[in-house]
Amino acid sequence: MQSVIHPLPFVGTGTAQSVVAQHFGEPNCGRKVYVQAALHADEIPAMLVATRLREKLLVLEAQGRLRAQVVLLSVANPLGLNQWLMGAPQGRFELASGRNYNRSFPMLFDAIVERLERQPGQLSDDVARNRDRVRAAWRDALLARPATDAFGALQSLLMLQAFDADIVLDLHCSREAAMHLYTGDECWPAAEPLARYLGSTANLLALDSGAHSFDEAQSYTWYRVRQHFGAKYPMPSGPVSVTIEHRGQRDVSYAQAEADASAIMQYLTYTGDVDGQVSPLPDLPYPATPLAGSEQFRAPSAGVLVHRATLGALIEVGQPVFDIVDPITGDVTTLVSRTQGVMYMRRDVRFVNAGDPLGRVTGHRAQRTGMLLGA
């Protein structure tokens, strides 16, 4: 293993922060797997999974069983991890600006195309050569992108670690949640085995969620490149880029971390990036659904929140899912589902104000447009 320390600029007078990337296997071996944890900083289950992955990768590297270079960032966001308020971590947003650390990643399709078209002959009938040319143009575009603050510098750094990977796994967690994942429609056939090994209860698909999240910055950029050049030049499918939600913030245990890390290694064995016996594919707990089909519940009034549905349960149309109890009058407002699907995430704070998000249920039919992910 080789540890590479990447200092972050713009972090404030008299302070220093850096991102540590751990490299396993041989570089330039033809395959690359990129894994990062806790982009939303206080996602502790994801960090613990990353420590288990590190242990497994050290063993596999010593045994000569890695068939890909693996780059692991166990703490992808030291900026957010250093934001605390009255004893609680505040890692989802940059406190100085309110920006979400997993939104508005650079989508550099236009810059990539401009660089490739500037010099005729860059692309050919060789799909591997075209992949390398796209990656080179992408790297140049990332390096040319100016960063004026720590937020932008972190995003550029993470993109530079991942843009040339064949598999990109972004490890997160939610507030309270069942195991679930987000990926692109085109990534799903290759990502489905991962969902099976993880026992993912909900799998939310979107070509473009409108959020420019980290996983989409990889897969959607490649999709647009293929749409632009594909009629003339063969293009690879791009990376399998997936956001994995390792349940809720309090779901921190050695047993769960070990199971999740083992599932990821089973997937990498399935893809041929680890030399070993491929495990049989488990059943998929629930079919994949469009992200646009998920029903998102919001509080119509303030009050005590009572959950009426179990995480991971199949919800029927008309089933009560939340009660809001007025603490002064005792009046109860019940919210029922308009969708049949799985309750895959919900709020952890048991008091709400009007408009607060309460939870989400998957759905098979698109019912939302625009920004499909939350703030």
Side-chain angles (χ1 to χ4, degrees):
M1 180 193 76
Q2 178 187 14
S3 289
V4 181
I5 299 174
H6 300 276
L8 287 169
F10 311 112
V11 293
T13 304
T15 64
Q17 294 188 46
S18 59
V19 173
V20 179
Q22 297 174 323
H23 295 240
F24 304 84
E26 294 296 326
N28 304 316
C29 64
R31 290 278 297 179
K32 178 177 176 181
V33 176
Y34 175 80
V35 184
Q36 69 177 26
L39 179 53
H40 280 142
D42 52 350
E43 295 166 319
I44 315 305
M47 278 193 254
L48 192 59
V49 171
T51 68
R52 287 297 194 244
L53 285 174
R54 178 183 181 275
E55 293 173 4
K56 295 178 184 300
L57 289 166
L58 284 170
V59 172
L60 291 168
E61 185 178 49
Q63 295 173 342
R65 293 172 56 197
L66 291 179
R67 297 293 177 260
Q69 182 190 36
V70 181
V71 178
L72 174 67
L73 275 63
S74 299
V75 180
N77 184 3
L79 302 176
L81 194 58
N82 280 277
Q83 296 181 154
W84 289 72
L85 180 63
M86 300 181 68
Q90 307 291 324
R92 185 175 180 83
F93 303 96
E94 183 190 49
L95 294 184
S97 66
R99 289 176 292 182
N100 186 318
Y101 279 110
N102 194 25
R103 302 290 183 268
S104 303
F105 269 88
M107 307 293 279
L108 299 179
F109 163 76
D110 291 332
I112 293 169
V113 168
E114 191 274 331
R115 279 169 166 76
L116 291 172
E117 292 183 338
R118 184 189 304 162
Q119 298 179 345
Q122 288 271 23
L123 301 177
S124 69
D125 292 333
D126 185 336
V127 65
R129 181 177 185 270
N130 293 341
R131 177 201 61 204
D132 294 342
R133 291 292 186 269
V134 171
R135 287 176 174 174
W138 199 342
R139 181 177 184 274
D140 290 345
L142 285 166
L143 291 172
R145 178 176 179 264
T148 58
D149 57 17
F151 184 98
L154 177 64
Q155 287 197 328
S156 292
L157 171 60
L158 297 179
M159 289 292 293
L160 281 165
Q161 301 303 302
F163 77 96
D164 59 348
D166 300 283
I167 296 175
V168 176
L169 303 181
D170 193 13
L171 312 186
H172 288 252
C173 76
S174 190
R175 298 299 185 183
E176 290 184 357
M179 170 66 78
H180 62 285
L181 60 80
Y182 300 90
T183 192
D185 297 89
E186 291 200 336
C187 292
W188 175 241
E192 188 199 49
L194 174 62
R196 290 175 180 267
Y197 287 127
L198 286 167
S200 180
T201 304
N203 306 288
L204 293 308
L205 310 183
L207 179 64
D208 176 16
S209 72
H212 294 177
S213 59
F214 182 79
D215 70 304
E216 286 184 351
Q218 322 303 321
S219 58
Y220 189 52
T221 298
W222 265 108
Y223 171 81
R224 294 192 66 192
V225 167
R226 291 197 307 278
Q227 292 298 302
H228 185 84
F229 289 115
K232 292 179 63 178
Y233 305 107
M235 286 286 163
S237 58
V240 182
S241 188
V242 184
T243 293
I244 304 173
E245 301 281 353
H246 294 273
R247 306 173 192 82
Q249 284 189 317
R250 294 184 178 89
D251 292 315
V252 180
S253 74
Y254 289 130
Q256 287 181 327
E258 176 64 25
D260 292 352
S262 294
I264 291 171
M265 298 313 299
Q266 287 175 315
Y267 176 65
L268 295 182
T269 305
Y270 176 90
T271 60
D273 296 301
V274 170
D275 182 23
Q277 184 173 355
V278 176
S279 301
L281 286 172
D283 292 335
L284 190 67
Y286 193 76
T289 56
L291 179 57
S294 64
E295 182 175 359
Q296 304 195 5
F297 299 86
R298 290 190 175 272
S301 58
V304 177
L305 175 65
V306 180
H307 292 300
R308 298 281 301 273
T310 304
L311 284 170
L314 181 62
I315 306 300
E316 299 295 339
V317 174
Q319 179 177 337
V321 286
F322 303 104
D323 282 347
I324 299 175
V325 182
D326 187 313
I328 297 176
T329 67
D331 292 341
V332 177
T333 302
T334 299
L335 285 76
V336 302
S337 180
R338 302 188 305 274
T339 307
Q340 183 189 59
V342 172
M343 170 69 72
Y344 64 96
M345 63 175 294
R346 67 187 191 186
R347 185 179 182 86
D348 55 340
V349 179
R350 298 305 199 262
F351 191 90
V352 296
N353 291 307
D356 282 346
L358 305 179
R360 301 178 188 175
V361 171
T362 64
H364 289 280
R365 292 182 297 178
Q367 57 181 295
R368 297 183 297 118
T369 58
M371 173 72 85
L372 300 178
L373 292 173

